[in-house]
Amino acid sequence: MRRKIALDMDEVIVNIYGRFRSIYEQEFGVSVQEKDLEGKKFYTLPGAENYRSLLFEPGFFADLPIFDGALEVVEWLNNHFDLFIVTAAQEFPNSLIDKYSWLQSHLPFLSWKQYVFCGDKSIINADYMIDDHVFNLEKFKGVGLLFTAPHNINENGYIRLNNWTEVKLFFEQEWRESSQKEL
Amino acid sequence: MRRKIALDMDEVIVNIYGRFRSIYEQEFGVSVQEKDLEGKKFYTLPGAENYRSLLFEPGFFADLPIFDGALEVVEWLNNHFDLFIVTAAQEFPNSLIDKYSWLQSHLPFLSWKQYVFCGDKSIINADYMIDDHVFNLEKFKGVGLLFTAPHNINENGYIRLNNWTEVKLFFEQEWRESSQKEL
């Protein structure tokens, strides 16, 4: 039986901070470095206090850049595991249709049956959860995997996956182990 | 610790067949009785073959009638259990924002954190699931409760709740038992 993965979307598949950086650079003519964001939310930068309101705007989530390597590795995960995209969309009602459109156009090998739009991830049942927020992993009963984002750089206590290359390596190992158990 | 309920929306809280009946009556001047629908989908009625396409139309899910007793009992459940509305919205992309709006206006005591819009309910972790579809209950590891709808009248093998009065009676009993265990 295939193991089940609950895979977060924002700051794991789609690069929201990358988009914020571009907007900030255009607005202030200053580029934001990774180290400027370590352990912080983007909204703590001077001038970016109201950037969170962008998340409520129609279209914002429809047009976000994908992280390097995500496309290929998500497709690989989908071929080897029971994969669900589990995203906290409900706080931003306009994101619902935007996230749906994004998934349809960027990850067309996934079915709508694999999309889960929720508010509180404590309702999720899976073997693994990949997420950038510790508060989602804390309530999860399976294996919690912290996907590195600047805001979570100081968090400990979870297996950390720094990028999509590391996601692939981790799950290749899990897949080999589960295949051997079934022999 | 409060027990968790995953509560379906279509044909459990909102009366889709009731809306179909009104449309059918207007279109053909013939009223549809409960017994005409027993064990069947509405789309099997002569003349109603294309009614399923209504589910894809913007606005359809925003304006559906609520079942008798649902409002009061959902509020009671929310006060005694950890309640989530778990609805298969993803097949009908326009239903996403419509269901969100419906929930906000009809069940304002619930938070968006309690909404789960998904395609496949095998991802759901809860103690109870109330649903009109056996295929959702089959994959569920907790207590599956079949909410009676004309199409499921011949199904066996699950505790059946025929209406919202029976939902209340069932969960009053569960709540009493769980409270006694905690004493």
Side-chain angles (χ1 to χ4, degrees), chain B residues 25 36 42 47 62 69 123 131 143 154:
Chain B
E25 205 167 309
D36 301 328
F42 203 96
I123 190 81
D131 211 287
V143 179
N154 300 319

Side-chain angles (χ1 to χ4, degrees), chain B residues 21 25 39 58 87 126 146 155 163 169:
Chain B
R21 271 200 205 113
E25 205 167 309
T87 180
L146 187 65
E155 297 286 355
N163 51 51
L169 286 169

Side-chain angles (χ1 to χ4, degrees), chain A residues 4-6 84 86 90-91 93-94 96-97 100 112-113 115-120 122-126 141, chain B residues 4-6 82 84 86 90-91 93-94 96-97 100 112-113 115-120 122-126 141:
Chain A
K4 198 174 285 181
I5 302 175
F84 287 82
V86 178
Q90 261 69 345
E91 188 172 1
N94 286 315
L96 291 164
I97 195 66
Y100 190 99
W112 52 262
K113 291 186 182 172
Y115 308 166
V116 184
F117 298 169
C118 60
D120 172 354
S122 70
I123 190 81
I124 298 302
N125 168 44
K141 294 204 179 73
Chain B
K4 198 173 285 182
I5 302 175
D82 199 7
F84 287 82
V86 178
Q90 260 70 343
E91 188 173 1
N94 286 314
L96 291 163
I97 195 66
Y100 191 98
W112 53 262
K113 291 185 182 174
Y115 309 165
V116 184
F117 298 170
C118 59
D120 172 353
S122 69
I123 190 81
I124 298 302
N125 167 45
K141 294 205 179 73

